[in-house]
Amino acid sequence: MSTPSESIPPGLEPYAALDKRLLAAVRGINILATVSWPASLEDRMIEEYGRGQYALPQVTYKRPDLSDARKELVAIESEAGDGDPLGEYLRRTAESWRIAAEMLESVGTEGVTAPSIQLYGRPGDAIPGSDRSNLDAARYFVELSDELGADLNDDNISANIPAETLRADLAKALDDFFGPGLIAVEVDNDLTAKAAAGATRIRLRGGTRFSEYDRHQLLNHEAYVHSLTALNGRAQPVLASLARTSPRVTATQEGLAVFAELMSGAIDIARLKRISLRILAIDMALNGADFVEVYRYFNRCGQSVADSFHSAQRVFRGVPLTGGAAFAKDNVYLSGLLDVHTFFRWSLKERRMDLLRFLFAGKLTLHDVMTLEPYFSTGAIVPPRWLPPWMQHVHGLAGKLAFSLFINRVRMSKVEAQTLSAGI
């Protein structure tokens, strides 16, 4: 069996060489690790906040020197050019890593805010194809959730699965899907997020109890998207970087992961509320709210003390806690979901289900899937070995999307008028 390096199509060796240099250059750029807070600090502060002691956390960061990486990335940007889709992919990817490096070299200062917005967007950004913004969408889902009486603490009531029990359960499910031992599941006591996924490892936060809903979400979001696309990316002969999430693909990858929750039935309105609250909180922080104010906002909206603290911490990763600055990554979950949902509907309308399968061949943006399409035909980019369970049933997926496509033609204002006139 040939390895990716042995099967590079003739003429594409320069792109493969640049891609290899790109991966080497970004090896030391670790965004979330650089801006994360120590678990011990979080535990102590959560205890204090639970007693009503609302001091600003004292967080220090180790600022990396990424000057060599930035220099190499600038060179790759220049050499890649933009005359070919492969070159454009490499140039855009190198540029996003360079911006990320500049952001991390400013960690702990307001200088993180602007590049994080450049990479992940701003809450007020317009939704493509709409006159509404990401902020409008966030407000809509929060208001709808409140009207429906969705309680963010409901999940905590049924969260009775210890991390170690879930670890064993997920490990069996992943062995059955991907093959024995391909993806390890571990419990990590220092993990800030509830869970995190890489190509061959999924980590669960130690000391945390999970619900059955958490299990479905972890499988469909973390394993069947994040791990799956990384594993498929590892098989690419030319662009090995498709196995790693570059900053520019974050919105599509997170949007695809949330879309997977939607398609598999692993999402509810409370989850959409959580995602939306983070966007509103980023907007608050950018407009001057400090850490305590943002914490209290989450708490007022129904989150527990610990969840409110963790949510506020996500907004203030790597930036001062006094207001006017934010880490914008959580902006991508809703905007990415909306973009991916629109792309799936468009692909169905155009009878291009092949593009949807291409999306899982690695860490790609929606733009990449379109521009790199010729290279799927030639085999320079290989189709995905694994697809999520819900993508393997094309007729079921098409049915959901077809209904969504048609129902958008129904004007709710007319439905309301007819319902009122009929006295229903």
Side-chain angles (χ1 to χ4, degrees), residues 59-349:
V59 187
T60 58
Y61 300 96
K62 184 178 179 181
R63 192 173 299 172
D65 178 5
L66 300 170
S67 54
D68 289 342
R70 285 189 289 105
K71 183 178 178 181
E72 173 68 343
L73 289 167
V74 169
I76 293 170
E77 287 180 65
S78 176
E79 294 177 44
D82 55 8
D84 181 276
L86 289 176
E88 182 194 19
Y89 162 85
L90 288 166
R91 181 183 60 78
R92 288 173 178 264
T93 303
E95 178 187 36
S96 75
W97 279 115
R98 175 177 52 79
I99 294 169
E102 294 168 355
M103 176 179 73
L104 296 182
E105 288 182 319
S106 299
V107 71
T109 75
E110 292 182 357
V112 167
T113 300
S116 82
I117 289 173
Q118 194 174 355
L119 293 173
Y120 307 123
R122 181 186 289 271
D125 289 345
I127 299 168
S130 170
D131 59 354
R132 302 296 179 88
S133 70
N134 201 30
L135 202 55
D136 293 327
R139 290 179 181 133
Y140 168 79
F141 285 117
V142 170
E143 290 170 4
L144 180 61
S145 174
D146 290 343
E147 288 173 10
L148 294 174
D151 189 341
L152 292 176
N153 282 320
D154 283 348
D155 288 341
N156 294 330
I157 297 172
S158 59
N160 55 9
I161 305 174
E164 186 56 44
T165 302
L166 182 61
R167 185 209 65 76
D169 181 43
L170 290 179
K172 183 181 183 307
L174 297 180
D175 282 351
D176 292 343
F177 185 84
F178 291 103
L182 192 56
I183 298 181
V185 185
E186 302 172 356
V187 174
D188 184 346
N189 292 324
D190 292 324
L191 188 65
T192 299
K194 206 167 188 179
T200 58
R201 183 175 65 150
I202 291 178
R203 292 176 294 156
L204 307 175
R205 189 169 70 212
T208 302
R209 288 187 170 267
F210 297 83
S211 65
E212 189 63 27
Y213 166 76
D214 290 326
R215 176 188 182 276
H216 290 303
Q217 183 191 329
L218 286 168
L219 276 175
N220 287 284
H221 183 114
E222 303 291 352
Y224 297 152
V225 173
H226 291 323
S227 295
L228 180 146
T229 52
L231 286 172
N232 285 332
R234 286 188 170 192
Q236 295 302 331
V238 179
L239 300 177
S241 60
L242 288 177
R244 182 162 184 184
T245 304
S246 66
R248 63 180 286 269
V249 306
T250 304
T252 297
Q253 289 299 304
E254 295 297 355
L256 184 60
V258 179
F259 183 77
E261 296 178 46
L262 188 65
M263 289 295 102
S264 62
I267 197 170
D268 62 10
I269 192 66
R271 164 73 166 157
L272 286 173
K273 180 178 180 179
R274 275 194 181 84
I275 293 170
S276 299
L277 286 174
R278 294 172 187 171
I279 294 166
L280 298 177
I282 291 171
D283 188 62
M284 286 176 61
L286 291 174
N287 285 306
D290 67 15
F291 182 89
V292 172
E293 291 173 288
V294 171
Y295 162 84
R296 284 175 165 158
Y297 171 70
F298 282 116
N299 199 229
R300 285 198 309 272
C301 289
Q303 290 192 3
S304 67
V305 171
D307 284 346
S308 297
F309 189 93
H310 285 131
S311 295
Q313 179 263 345
R314 294 175 68 100
V315 174
F316 286 92
R317 286 176 286 186
V319 302
L321 309 185
T322 50
F327 182 66
K329 179 179 180 288
D330 280 350
N331 187 64
V332 305
Y333 289 85
L334 188 54
S335 63
L337 170 62
L338 296 169
D339 287 347
V340 167
H341 194 283
T342 300
F343 183 75
F344 268 73
R345 288 167 49 225
W346 176 86
S347 297
L348 175 68
K349 181 182 177 183

Side-chain angles (χ1 to χ4, degrees), residues 43-60:
D43 292 342
R44 178 171 56 80
M45 295 302 298
I46 288 170
E47 205 172 299
E48 291 177 7
Y49 275 45
R51 296 196 298 265
Q53 299 171 348
Y54 299 125
L56 291 178
Q58 299 297 313
V59 187
T60 58

